[in-house]
Structures are given as C-alpha cells and as structure tokens.
Amino acid sequence: MTQPQAQQRRGAWWYVLTVLAGVALFAGLLFLLWQAPWYLDRVQLGRLDEAPKATVVSGFRTAIAALMVASAGAVGLVFTARSLHYTRQALAHTREQDQEQLRLTQQSLALTREQHQDQANLTRDGQLNDRFGKAIELLASSRLPEQLGGIYTLEAIMKDSPDTQPTVVEVLAAFVRHHAPAPDAVYSEHREARIRPPEHVKAALIVLGRRPRRDEPFRVDLRRTDLRGAYLEFAHLEGANLGSARLEGAFLKQCQLQGAWLGDTKMDDADLEGANLKGADLKGAEMHNARNLAIDQVLAARPTGTTSLPQSFSRDKAWPKMKELMLQVDKDQVPLHPLRASADTRQMLRFDTMDDAAQAGPEVSGGASEPP
C-alpha cells in the first residue's frame, strides 16, 4: 500500500469516528435540553408555581440550545479544516501525478523527435550520396554539357552540406589537374595563340574560386596545371599549391593568394593588380612580364634570388629592401614555407600550418623550390 493510500484510509476512519461522535454529542444535548433542568434542580423547581417554573426551564433550555449551536459550529469548523487538509493533499498528489505524466510525455516526445531527426538525416544522407554519385558520373562524361552539369551539381552539394566541401574541392582540383596538365609550350607560343582554358576547366576553376569560406583541412592542389588565360579574379586560393603551374596571361585581379605555393610558377603577362601575395612563396616564379604588379605586393611575399621580377622594380626606391628580403629568404633566415618543408606535396597538409607565416608577412616567411 502506498503512502497516499494509507493516509486516505486513516482519513476515512477518522471521518467516521468524528461523525459518530458528533451524533452522540447531538443526542446528549437533546437529552439535556429535555431533562437537564429537572436533574439539576428538581427540588427547587417542585416548589415553584407553574409560571416561574416555566420561565426557569425555558431559560435553561435556551442556554442549552445556544451551547448546541456553538458545538455544531465548532464541529463544522473542524470538518471544514479537515476537508481543506485532505483537499490540499489530493491536489498535491494530483499535481505530482500530472508532473510525472508531463515528464514522461516530454521524454517520449524527445525520443520521437530524435528518432525522426535520425531518420531525416539518414534520408538526407542517402539523397546526398545519390546526388554526389550522379554528379561524379556526369563529371566523368566526355560530353561538355554533362561535365558542366556535374561541376555545378557538386557546387550545389557543397553549399547544401558544408561537410562535403573538402571532398568536392578535392574532386574539382583533381578534375582540373587531369583535364589541364601543364604543357611544355614556351611563353611566346601562349602570347601568339592567346590560349584560354576549355569550358569545363573554366567552370571548375570558377566553382573553386567562389566556394564558401569555410575551414578546410588541406590546400587546394593545382600543381603543374595549365591555367593560361584563366579568369581567377577575386578567387579564393589562399594557401593553394600552384607550384609549376602555367598562369601566363591569367587574370588574377584581387585574387587571394596569401600563403600560396607559387614555386616555379609562370606568371608572365598575367594581370596581378591587387592580388594578395602575403606570405606566398615565389622561389623560381617567373613574373618579369607580369602586368599591374606592384613592388609592395612582392615585399609582402617570399621572393628569392631565383624569382624573376619586372625590370622596373630595380629603379624603385624600395629595391634595396627587396634585395635584402631575397637574401634573407635564400639564407633560410625566415621559416620555410610549409610546402617547401614537406617531403611529399601530395599529402593533405592542414591549411592552418601557413596561417602564422601568411599573417606575419615576410618577417616570418621562407622560400625554396617546390619539393618533388
């Protein structure tokens, strides 16, 4: 038997006993009202005449009646107090039951919500995998419209699901490396032909350049790619590996290249107006015919003695500072660029390994040719 039930049973017995006691008391008071005057003062009442006797008996009975009324009021107050007490107990017990039921209902709703969320996630992941698989199939097609469809489907997947961005970026970078390998053609051939990337490569570069700004655990790998004449204006290629890439005639206005690896990269005739080269490694980079390149941009990077710069820089008042910076980088008086220090440039290096060097500029930057 639970405690509330035991209390309820004790309360019921007390209630019965109280009623019986009240009935007995009421019966006794009635008896007193009828016979008490004679029991208390039978001798004196016997000596009185009828009129005085009636007055005395009437007064006594009036007093007894008042006592009965007061007793009834007291009993009523007791019953009211007990009733209120049990009502409070019942309400408290009901409240406890309601709270317990509410807690159980909330737990059930939370479990149901979690199950529905898990099911929704499974459904979404399944749909995402299907979309990704179809995009890869389109990407592998030899038809240009299907390739473009695959590229932009991957972009949509990357925007819808941030967790897929590293995979999508790796796939698109590999697509560019496969479809646009760096040729052996010399710069003069590019100048005459005005070469531009094919449409599917151009689309992949556009998606890579405008991808959402999120934390990525690696560098975009575009080594030894043919990006001649590519439109990379305002592209986000921070920390990218562009070693030995062909960027002649490329449009790199306001391109974000801070911390990038540009070792042996060919950038003659490339438009570098406003390009951010802070912390970028320029060992062996060919920039002597680059357009709209300011000496301050190179001073923020990691040039070396093998960096080919515009001849006009030698007449700039900041040229002595440039020569001093080149000497410091050549003598490894500044930390190496992470990709130069890496023995294998194919490994997925974390992007944050270049943050300190890129943010501090040439004071903490280093340089050397691209590792094998």
Side-chain angles (χ1 to χ4, degrees), residues 23-44:
V23 171
L25 178 63
F26 185 74
L29 290 174
L30 286 178
F31 180 78
L32 287 175
L33 187 65
W34 177 39
Q35 292 293 334
W38 306 104
Y39 277 105
L40 293 177
D41 202 1
R42 180 184 300 272
V43 176
Q44 293 296 329

Side-chain angles (χ1 to χ4, degrees), residues 78-111:
V78 171
F79 271 99
T80 302
R82 294 297 298 178
S83 177
L84 287 175
H85 174 71
Y86 287 120
T87 300
R88 290 195 190 99
Q89 286 185 333
L91 288 175
H93 183 61
T94 302
R95 189 182 301 111
E96 290 177 359
Q97 290 180 329
D98 290 344
Q99 290 176 347
E100 180 65 18
Q101 185 63 38
L102 178 61
R103 186 182 65 82
L104 294 175
T105 302
Q106 290 175 340
Q107 289 180 346
S108 177
L109 288 175
L111 181 61

Side-chain angles (χ1 to χ4, degrees), residues 148-211:
L148 294 177
I151 290 169
Y152 291 117
T153 298
L154 287 176
E155 182 181 27
I157 293 173
M158 177 171 56
K159 290 181 178 179
D160 294 341
S161 177
D163 292 340
T164 64
Q165 180 160 323
T167 303
V168 172
V169 172
E170 281 292 297
V171 169
L172 292 178
F175 180 83
V176 174
R177 293 196 305 269
H178 176 72
H179 287 273
D184 296 328
V186 297
Y187 169 64
S188 59
E189 295 179 7
H190 162 76
R191 173 174 285 182
E192 294 173 1
R194 289 296 175 184
I195 299 172
R196 295 286 184 267
E199 290 299 323
H200 54 297
V201 174
K202 184 190 300 183
L205 291 172
I206 290 174
V207 172
L208 286 173
R210 70 186 183 193
R211 69 191 187 281

Side-chain angles (χ1 to χ4, degrees), residues 180-246:
D184 296 328
V186 297
Y187 169 64
S188 59
E189 295 179 7
H190 162 76
R191 173 174 285 182
E192 294 173 1
R194 289 296 175 184
I195 299 172
R196 295 286 184 267
E199 290 299 323
H200 54 297
V201 174
K202 184 190 300 183
L205 291 172
I206 290 174
V207 172
L208 286 173
R210 70 186 183 193
R211 69 191 187 281
R213 302 294 300 276
R214 296 169 181 152
D215 183 32
E216 295 175 347
F218 57 87
R219 299 168 182 274
V220 180
D221 189 356
L222 295 173
R223 294 171 298 152
R224 302 183 182 92
T225 50
D226 184 7
L227 306 181
R228 291 175 294 174
Y231 287 91
L232 296 171
E233 296 177 336
F234 302 99
H236 291 287
L237 294 174
E238 299 92 337
N241 185 351
L242 289 161
S244 299
R246 300 291 298 271

Side-chain angles (χ1 to χ4, degrees), residues 234-304:
F234 302 99
H236 291 287
L237 294 174
E238 299 92 337
N241 185 351
L242 289 161
S244 299
R246 300 291 298 271
L247 284 164
E248 295 102 328
F251 296 89
L252 300 170
K253 181 179 180 180
Q254 300 294 328
C255 184
Q256 302 303 307
L257 290 167
Q258 54 267 43
W261 173 259
L262 299 172
D264 297 321
T265 303
K266 295 175 172 43
M267 290 181 281
D268 284 332
D269 205 34
D271 187 353
L272 288 163
E273 181 182 356
N276 191 341
L277 300 175
K278 187 175 183 180
D281 198 302
L282 302 176
K283 182 175 182 180
E286 297 182 10
M287 312 171 72
H288 57 276
N289 287 320
R291 293 181 289 120
N292 300 318
L293 177 64
I295 194 170
D296 289 339
Q297 292 172 263
V298 182
L299 284 172
R302 303 180 184 193
T304 70

